[in-house]
Amino acid sequence: MTGSAEEGRGEWRYERIDGAGHWLPLEAPDTVTRLLLDFLSRTAGAERAGR
């Protein structure tokens, strides 16, 4: 996963959720929601700032 950073473009980050497997939204819904909202608010803020 972290090695793919060279292939991607745009804003991204790697987050490890301990204790969760493949089905993250089912196994850690509160954590996934928090991370998504944080990511989206940061990227939306960057767009408004013209980055």
Side-chain angles (χ1 to χ4, degrees), residues 6 8 14 23 35 48:
E6 299 168 359
Y14 173 80
W23 303 105
L35 290 169
R48 284 192 298 271

Side-chain angles (χ1 to χ4, degrees), residues 4-50:
S4 65
E6 299 168 359
E7 306 299 325
R9 294 178 192 200
E11 197 71 29
W12 78 278
R13 71 182 191 219
Y14 173 80
E15 294 282 346
R16 180 174 179 84
I17 301 175
D18 292 326
H22 182 77
W23 303 105
L24 291 174
L26 296 175
E27 297 173 3
D30 293 338
T31 303
V32 170
T33 300
R34 180 181 51 80
L35 290 169
L36 281 170
L37 290 174
D38 182 60
F39 178 81
L40 293 171
S41 68
R42 289 173 187 263
T43 56
E47 281 187 21
R48 284 192 298 271

